Amino acid sequence: MPTSTTVASQATVPESNRSRILQHLYYHGICSRAQIAKALGLTPAAITKITARLIEAGIIEETGDMEGRLNRRSIGLNLDPTRFHVIGVKFARSLVEIGVFDLSGTALSIEDLPTVSEDTIPQTIAAIHTKVGALLDADPAIIAIGMAVPGPYLREAGYTTVVSSMQGWRTINFLDEFGTAFRVPVFVEQDARAGVLAQHLFSDDGHCNNLAYYLLGEGVGLGVIDHGNLINGAQGTATELGHTSVDVNGLPCDCGNVGCLERYCSANAIHERINAAGIIADSPLMTHRQACNALFGLVCDGDRQATAILDEASRYIAYGCVTICNMFNPERIILGDIVSGAGQRLLDIVRDITSRRVSAEVIEATDIRLSQLPADATVAGAAAVAITQFLTTPSRFFDIS
């Protein structure tokens, strides 16, 4: 289970064991005390003591008799994922999305705030305070808030160093603005790392401990879980794939570099090419998501110019996948966010290019696929950030010491 290094390093042994029990129940469902003891290598007495406190705090519950070893009856324990809720807030330059989720990642509500511009960032911040406050007032089951923000995000400082195409977000210190603003804890994470947490926690096709989430939205980002651990870097800015140069003489980027990957295959970059080609009426008035979705529709209809724009972006996305394979060697790469809406054509191009540019032994062991999460992986990832904290350090949420 990936955790924040700042939290994990401070965890006490009792807290670590509480966390291990919660995570076991989260992933495996109803278990007896004997089953948990065997799986975790703890004594039955230790399990009994810890689970008693978790039951007393209302975090887990007994479910009644279940069959144990040698046909003996034992009492099942369960972490009911519907008992607690979290709020997820996605910041994506011009888009802010707020959702309420249960612990299984099921979206109970999702709402987009009005499109954000440089001039309306202060109003958006005020609207987030109002909306989150109203959600907390309406739902006492909410125990935490997770926020996913564009990278590079300096975790300890609380702000992003670069936000391509909308620099106004750099003036917002997310920790100062939201850290103590509500009755429940708030946790902030870089958007692609939040996305990989969502894929790890909520995916229906089994948990993968070597996983990369390739965010293809208004920016391009990457979140990586390596052997169960989230890669963060010293300041929290690791795996910033979008600001890797793919053309050293290429287009200038707001980060100060040139030829950055996101200048060629982000939703923003695709929107620029749509506007330049003039193939979609009123495209300059559209959001990046709307313009991309309109482009995908034209591709389905066989439009040659639209197809050429998509195919060029897909090739650059594939070059990013080649880098991911060679740098991180994940078992699985998941393409998500706005541009992944291009679907199978995008996936086919990415798979074809990576199969030719990555060594056979590596690419044959790498599964590249589109995100299958029912909700946007970044807003679900914001929720996953909060859920991860709950599973890792439950004493921050309940008095179980």
Side-chain angles (χ1 to χ4, degrees):
M1 176 69 180
T3 63
S4 168
T5 55
T6 58
V7 171
S9 63
Q10 298 170 3
T12 63
V13 171
E15 183 78 329
S16 175
N17 287 337
R18 286 190 288 263
S19 172
R20 294 174 66 200
I21 291 170
L22 286 183
Q23 291 181 46
H24 187 81
L25 291 172
Y26 183 85
Y27 286 114
H28 299 282
I30 297 173
C31 298
S32 69
R33 290 170 175 82
Q35 289 171 329
I36 297 172
K38 182 178 180 181
L40 301 185
L42 296 173
T43 66
I47 294 295
T48 298
K49 180 179 179 180
I50 297 170
T51 56
R53 297 305 303 271
L54 294 173
I55 293 170
E56 182 182 350
I59 300 176
I60 65 175
E61 60 187 355
E62 293 184 331
T63 61
D65 290 344
M66 59 184 297
E67 189 169 321
R69 294 182 61 193
L70 304 176
N71 294 320
R72 294 175 180 172
R73 308 303 296 178
S74 58
I75 297 176
L77 299 175
N78 184 42
L79 172 60
D80 182 355
T82 66
R83 175 176 290 187
F84 305 113
H85 301 157
V86 298
I87 293 174
V89 184
K90 169 187 176 177
F91 295 83
R93 299 165 174 82
S94 68
L95 170 68
V96 172
E97 198 167 30
I98 301 177
V100 178
F101 297 78
D102 68 17
L103 297 189
S104 68
T106 300
L108 307 178
S109 68
I110 295 182
E111 177 182 342
D112 289 352
L113 296 187
T115 301
V116 187
S117 68
E118 289 277 9
D119 296 332
T120 63
I121 289 175
Q123 293 94 314
T124 299
I125 294 296
I128 293 169
H129 280 279
T130 299
K131 179 61 180 177
V132 170
L135 290 171
L136 289 169
D137 289 342
D139 187 353
I142 294 172
I143 59 171
I145 299 164
M147 295 185 169
V149 303
Y153 174 66
L154 301 173
R155 180 180 287 110
E156 299 301 323
Y159 62 89
T160 59
T161 62
V162 177
V163 185
S164 303
S165 79
M166 196 174 291
Q167 292 293 309
W169 282 116
R170 294 184 63 185
T171 66
I172 304 300
N173 187 300
F174 293 94
L175 296 181
D176 289 347
E177 186 67 48
F178 299 110
T180 58
F182 307 105
R183 66 168 175 81
V184 299
V186 177
F187 306 99
V188 185
E189 182 56 273
Q190 181 250 28
D191 50 8
R193 273 196 286 279
V196 79
L197 285 176
Q199 301 291 342
H200 183 81
L201 288 180
F202 306 143
S203 177
D204 290 333
D205 51 15
H207 300 290
C208 177
N209 283 325
N210 291 277
L211 175 66
Y213 175 67
Y214 192 179
L215 183 151
L216 304 167
E218 293 189 349
V220 170
L222 179 68
V224 178
I225 291 173
D226 180 58
H227 288 85
N229 297 309
L230 191 64
I231 296 179
N232 294 299
Q235 296 172 288
T237 67
T239 67
E240 278 297 331
L241 183 70
H243 294 291
T244 299
S245 288
V246 291
D247 183 352
V248 295
N249 298 307
L251 299 172
C253 180
D254 289 339
C255 74
N257 196 7
V258 296
C260 288
L261 182 64
E262 72 172 41
R263 292 291 285 116
Y264 300 90
C265 59
S266 66
N268 297 23
I270 293 172
H271 196 171
E272 288 178 6
R273 284 159 180 73
I274 292 169
N275 292 342
I279 58 175
I280 298 173
D282 297 325
S283 65
L285 303 178
M286 293 180 175
T287 66
H288 301 311
R289 184 186 296 275
Q290 290 168 341
C292 286
N293 287 341
L295 179 80
F296 304 154
L298 289 179
V299 172
C300 290
D301 292 337
D303 185 282
R304 291 187 177 181
Q305 282 185 285
T307 300
I309 291 172
L310 174 61
D311 288 357
E312 180 186 33
S314 299
R315 287 192 291 273
Y316 279 103
I317 291 168
Y319 305 152
C321 267
V322 171
T323 299
I324 295 169
C325 288
N326 289 330
M327 289 190 69
F328 301 105
N329 184 212
E331 178 183 346
R332 184 177 300 158
I333 301 172
I334 299 177
L335 313 181
D337 219 292
I338 296 171
V339 183
S340 71
Q344 193 62 45
R345 185 179 187 91
L346 163 67
L347 186 60
D348 289 343
I349 292 172
V350 169
R351 285 174 171 172
D352 175 62
I353 291 175
T354 52
S355 70
R356 291 186 280 109
R357 297 196 177 203
V358 176
S359 65
E361 294 85 353
V362 172
I363 196 61
E364 287 172 5
T366 308
D367 174 24
I368 304 174
R369 62 176 68 180
L370 301 172
S371 176
Q372 297 299 315
L373 292 182
D376 177 280
T378 305
V379 70
V385 170
I387 293 167
T388 297
Q389 293 288 342
F390 167 67
L391 294 174
T392 304
T393 55
S395 63
R396 296 183 67 172
F397 302 84
F398 295 92
D399 183 11
I400 50 178
S401 58

